[in-house]
Amino acid sequence: MENKVFNVDSERFSKEYEFLDGYDDYVVNKKTKIVYKSNFVNGIVQLVEVSNLEALGKIEEGFKEFREKLAKEMGFKIPKS
């Protein structure tokens, strides 16, 4: 699978995209719900499609049990959501 990079100016970016909670470089298109990895270069945002919001949610849910077990074994407390 080849991922294409496309450029978006900052005005369009601020209108059409929002950052995903808990991520500082992944954004979601407000309309299509497609998730992109973002990179800021000279006032332009480069976007690479990585997933869609529904698929990302399923992946995160699948890791939840593993993350909780690992944290417990290492003695960390996970805050309740």
Side-chain angles (χ1 to χ4, degrees), residues 6-20 26-32 34-36 38 45 47:
F6 66 97
N7 297 323
V8 177
D9 64 48
S10 58
E11 184 178 334
R12 179 177 168 198
F13 178 81
S14 64
K15 288 180 183 177
E16 297 180 14
Y17 299 87
E18 61 188 4
F19 286 94
L20 290 176
Y26 285 88
V27 298
V28 62
N29 181 290
K30 294 175 186 178
K31 186 190 233 181
T32 66
I34 295 175
V35 178
Y36 297 90
S38 61
V45 183
L47 300 173

Side-chain angles (χ1 to χ4, degrees), residues 2-73:
E2 182 180 327
N3 291 335
K4 294 182 182 178
V5 176
F6 66 97
N7 297 323
V8 177
D9 64 48
S10 58
E11 184 178 334
R12 179 177 168 198
F13 178 81
S14 64
K15 288 180 183 177
E16 297 180 14
Y17 299 87
E18 61 188 4
F19 286 94
L20 290 176
D21 287 338
Y23 297 91
D24 61 357
D25 58 349
Y26 285 88
V27 298
V28 62
N29 181 290
K30 294 175 186 178
K31 186 190 233 181
T32 66
K33 303 302 182 197
I34 295 175
V35 178
Y36 297 90
K37 169 81 169 85
S38 61
N39 184 36
F40 296 86
V41 179
N42 298 324
I44 300 293
V45 183
Q46 295 177 330
L47 300 173
V48 178
E49 182 178 342
V50 293
S51 185
N52 66 46
L53 203 51
E54 183 178 340
L56 189 62
K58 288 179 182 179
I59 291 168
E60 287 184 340
E61 185 62 33
F63 281 119
K64 183 178 179 182
E65 183 179 330
F66 170 75
R67 183 178 68 236
E68 289 172 354
K69 182 179 177 184
L70 181 61
K72 185 177 180 180
E73 288 176 4

